[in-house]
Amino acid sequence: YPSAFAGYKLQVTESHQKTKADTSGTAKAVIDSLKVLSDDDFNTETDVDMIRDEEESVEFGVPFEALGGHAFHTYSLTSPDQSVTFGLVHNVVGRNVYAEGTADAVKFLAKKMTTEPEGKVFSMINVLEEGALE
């Protein structure tokens, strides 16, 4: 529902391991979807609160043992009068899910190479839409 949250302010905080320099693609995709709902002029390059400091990450809820590989994101939409807040949280501890997703994507591409024209480009969205995750 485009503009269902018209006038609401978007706030995003993400924590990743200290070696990650930029905002994650997942965060950018979620933000783009939320912007359609909120009509906020949120800028993914400048408005994301990126936590890369280990102490701050632990304060944000990241387990100490996951500091070397994690993705913790929070998104909130707050009404103009601040009386209503909608929130979304997604957290990934470790890197296994990324390795598994990569393996699924490779299998997907191997199959598509036999059925699709050469040079066709796919994204992880295509893998998800086809239900190719194992």
Side-chain angles (χ1 to χ4, degrees):
Y1 300 102
S3 298
F5 293 98
Y8 280 59
K9 180 74 177 136
L10 178 60
Q11 182 178 4
V12 179
T13 303
E14 64 155 24
S15 172
H16 286 271
Q17 57 279 359
K18 64 183 175 183
T19 56
K20 182 158 183 57
D22 59 352
T23 301
S24 72
T26 301
K28 289 177 181 179
V30 172
I31 290 165
D32 286 345
S33 295
L34 293 175
K35 283 171 60 175
V36 170
L37 296 174
S38 71
D39 72 4
D40 191 326
D41 61 354
F42 191 91
N43 184 318
T44 56
E45 301 305 318
T46 60
D47 293 340
V48 175
D49 182 15
M50 295 191 310
I51 300 172
R52 300 297 184 263
D53 178 77
E54 290 184 346
E55 187 175 316
E56 286 182 61
S57 292
V58 170
E59 290 172 9
F60 191 59
V62 177
F64 181 80
E65 61 275 7
L67 289 174
H70 69 278
F72 276 43
H73 299 163
T74 64
Y75 311 84
S76 63
L77 289 164
T78 304
S79 65
D81 67 359
Q82 299 184 348
S83 65
V84 178
T85 299
F86 289 88
L88 171 66
V89 174
H90 66 93
N91 299 333
V92 177
V93 175
R95 297 178 186 242
N96 287 350
V97 70
Y98 299 111
E100 292 166 1
T102 300
D104 291 337
V106 168
K107 291 175 194 173
F108 170 86
L109 289 173
K111 177 181 161 189
K112 290 298 181 183
M113 288 177 65
T114 63
T115 62
E116 297 291 334
E118 186 173 326
K120 184 165 182 178
V121 177
F122 296 94
S123 73
M124 198 63 187
I125 298 298
N126 301 117
V127 177
L128 295 170
E129 287 176 342
E130 191 160 305
L133 296 179
E134 292 183 13

